[in-house]
Amino acid sequence: MTTTYELALGSLLLTGGTVLGSDGPVLADVLIENGIITAIGQGLNAPDAEVLDVEGCTVGPGFVDLHTHLREPGKEQAETIETGTRAAALGGFTAVVAMPNTDPVLDSAFVVRAVLGLGATAMAEVAVAGAITVGRNGQELAPMAELSKLGVMLFTDDGTGVQNGGVARRALDYCRGLGATYAEHCEDLGIAAGGVVHEGYWSSKLGLPGQPASAEEAMVARDLLLAGELGARLHLLHLSTEGSVDLVRRAKAAGIKVTAEAAPHHFTLTDASIASFDAVYKVNPPLRPAHHGDAVVAGLLDGTIDAIATDHAPHTPETKDLPFDEAPPGMLGLETAFSLSYERLVLGEGLAMEGLFDLLSTNPARIAGLDAQSDRPFGQSEHGGRVTVGRTANVVVIDPRAAWTVEGSSLASLAQNTPYEGRKLQGVVRHTILRGEVVVRNGEPTR
Ligand code: NCD
């Protein structure tokens, strides 16, 4: 299926920013006409264009989130495609991959088509990850070939790992045949044994059931073995332990076709937060001691982990206010991902801004099949890469000098379950441009 997108008419001139171009950052203006970047240079003149003065800001490719829970269909009280993509645009994302753990599950052509249809006019482009198994039941394979014909490039039972190694092996083999990627939520439920937090000091002290790091690592190891044996492409979702990072590092060195993502909460929070017993800190995989977050950061810096993904998981206050062990896991992420990553990786570790854009835009665009080189079989425009003439204008403008304070009630998400309430963050998303349309102007959504 091809959803043909529309390019915004009219012209837009971004003046005086630092542009992440093909030869590195340059001080330049960027002219966008009818949705396409048509000129980059100093002192550009376009009398009819809307002018945005972006002096002091970075102009880069819009971010791409590999892991967004849009909750539609089924949990529209927590988020919808409209509100979730508005949050995405405010966070600087021009494309998101919608996770399939909806109700009904994204395991049939009918539901996938419906989500793509609603996404076609959204404030960020929507790609879909299809379920691996029917109803995410872990047993019977979903009609992967049919979903692949619609353009599904990633398959996952996210929310649950595929527990049966035989089913995982068969699905990996199917994905290989279809040219798709098998994406795993790594959690061995037998080892996790119902643990709702990381097993360690805080779980013991607070008397909350813990799950050990090995619950994640055992499935990472299994899937790496299977992917290596089959020559299949594997993507590992929300990696959170030192051992997982180490396994992926070794697998990459051995030539296994694996990519991995990490979520900002795993490298900016620790399990000490759960001492509040506030379920806003409950998430899967659980928050862990700082050395795990440090290992994730090392993995992001040395290329072991390819992408930062939000795992944006909205939940209503009614469910998040339940006692810790009963509340659902998950936290908001779209609107805070850039600032958190900028603070930790650029300000904290000295990563170049371009490196951060690789993690938030170029690499996830490639993994999702949304980059210029891919077929983009849903018909989306190209994402990631560098800001160059001739490309579709999917662009974000960042102001690294500005700071903001997180307020759950001011976020665009329907849900408010941010673990960063009241926290002052450095780095602001000023403008987001989707196919030439300014969808966020000065930090405000335009629709
Ligand atoms: C996600 C959700 O709420 O759908 N929750 C979470 O804690 N991460 C599921 C998932 O991504 O595992």
Side-chain angles (χ1 to χ4, degrees), residues 46-109:
D48 298 331
E50 174 189 352
V51 178
L52 293 175
D53 176 357
V54 298
E55 212 190 308
C57 297
T58 300
V59 181
F63 304 141
V64 175
D65 189 20
L66 284 168
H67 198 141
T68 309
H69 295 280
L70 291 173
R71 300 295 188 226
E72 187 172 359
K75 288 232 175 69
E76 289 86 350
Q77 330 76 285
E79 198 76 288
T80 65
I81 291 169
E82 185 187 342
T83 60
T85 52
R86 183 170 297 122
L90 283 162
F93 292 88
T94 49
V96 299
V97 178
M99 288 290 114
N101 58 335
T102 50
D103 185 11
V105 167
L106 305 186
D107 61 3
S108 72

Side-chain angles (χ1 to χ4, degrees), residues 168-179:
R169 192 172 193 278
R170 201 147 19 96
L172 272 156
D173 206 13
Y174 264 80
C175 282
R176 183 178 53 88
L178 296 169

Side-chain angles (χ1 to χ4, degrees), residues 187-215 271 274 284 286-288 324-325:
E187 183 181 6
D188 181 313
L189 292 176
I191 300 175
V196 296
V197 295
H198 176 78
E199 182 181 283
Y201 173 83
W202 285 106
S203 64
S204 308
K205 188 168 167 79
L206 303 172
L208 287 166
Q211 56 164 281
S214 57
D271 58 347
I274 60 176
N284 251 342
L287 299 179
R288 304 195 193 268
F324 200 99
D325 49 353

Side-chain angles (χ1 to χ4, degrees), residues 33 71 75 174 181 201 240 281 289 294 308 338 346 361 372 436:
E33 292 173 300
R71 300 295 188 226
K75 288 232 175 69
Y174 264 80
T181 300
Y201 173 83
S240 70
Y281 298 109
D294 294 344
I308 295 169
F338 166 73
V346 177
S361 177

Side-chain angles (χ1 to χ4, degrees), residues 104-414:
V105 167
L106 305 186
D107 61 3
S108 72
F110 178 77
V111 194
V112 169
R113 263 200 208 100
V115 170
L116 286 173
L118 287 166
T121 53
M123 286 174 72
E125 290 191 349
V126 177
V128 166
I132 293 169
T133 62
V134 175
R136 296 172 49 251
N137 66 9
Q139 285 157 21
E140 198 187 326
L141 293 191
M144 296 166 85
E146 194 185 353
L147 299 185
S148 154
K149 276 197 201 119
L150 288 181
V152 173
M153 294 274 301
L154 285 169
F155 287 91
T156 179
D157 273 1
D158 183 54
T160 327
V162 175
Q163 300 301 306
N164 182 317
V167 175
R169 192 172 193 278
R170 201 147 19 96
L172 272 156
D173 206 13
Y174 264 80
C175 282
R176 183 178 53 88
L178 296 169
T181 300
Y182 177 107
E184 190 79 274
H185 166 120
C186 294
E187 183 181 6
D188 181 313
L189 292 176
I191 300 175
V196 296
V197 295
H198 176 78
E199 182 181 283
Y201 173 83
W202 285 106
S203 64
S204 308
K205 188 168 167 79
L206 303 172
L208 287 166
Q211 56 164 281
S214 57
E216 174 176 310
E217 292 155 1
M219 198 171 278
V220 169
R222 180 200 74 181
D223 285 1
L224 288 171
L225 289 171
L226 295 174
E229 190 171 61
L230 294 166
R233 216 160 54 215
L234 171 68
H235 177 69
L236 298 169
L237 302 166
H238 45 44
L239 286 192
S240 70
T241 82
E242 195 173 5
S244 295
V245 179
D246 194 43
L247 284 163
V248 174
R249 188 175 286 121
R250 286 194 275 157
K252 282 193 166 181
I256 292 172
K257 292 183 208 158
V258 59
T259 53
E261 63 179 45
H265 47 261
H266 285 126
F267 57 84
T268 57
L269 297 172
T270 69
D271 58 347
S273 307
I274 60 176
S276 62
F277 283 102
D278 187 338
V280 80
Y281 298 109
K282 181 174 177 181
V283 66
N284 251 342
L287 299 179
R288 304 195 193 268
H291 69 93
H292 289 290
D294 294 344
V296 166
V297 166
L300 286 162
L301 294 174
D302 75 6
T304 300
I305 303 180
D306 304 82
I308 295 169
T310 69
D311 192 7
H312 178 81
H315 290 288
T316 59
E318 297 78 58
T319 57
K320 269 299 195 186
D321 286 347
L322 290 167
F324 200 99
D325 49 353
E326 290 169 39
M331 30 181 79
L332 299 186
L334 285 167
E335 293 174 74
T336 49
F338 166 73
S339 308
L340 292 165
S341 306
Y342 173 69
E343 280 190 354
R344 177 84 211 247
L345 298 172
V346 177
L347 298 181
E349 302 288 338
L351 178 68
M353 195 61 119
E354 281 174 291
L356 182 59
F357 273 80
D358 286 343
L359 293 169
L360 278 165
S361 177
T362 301
N363 297 346
R366 191 187 65 243
I367 294 165
L370 295 174
D371 61 339
Q373 284 72 41
S374 300
D375 290 343
R376 288 173 272 119
F378 290 124
Q380 284 98 343
S381 56
E382 74 241 55
H383 296 264
R386 291 290 177 257
V387 178
T388 51
V389 169
R391 289 186 64 119
T392 304
N394 291 318
V395 169
V396 64
V397 178
I398 296 302
D399 189 345
R401 302 159 306 179
W404 64 294
T405 301
V406 183
E407 256 179 273
S409 58
S410 305
L411 298 176
S413 268
L414 280 183

Side-chain angles (χ1 to χ4, degrees), residues 35-50:
I36 305 289
I37 299 169
T38 53
I40 299 173
Q42 284 186 355
L44 294 183
N45 202 1
D48 298 331
E50 174 189 352

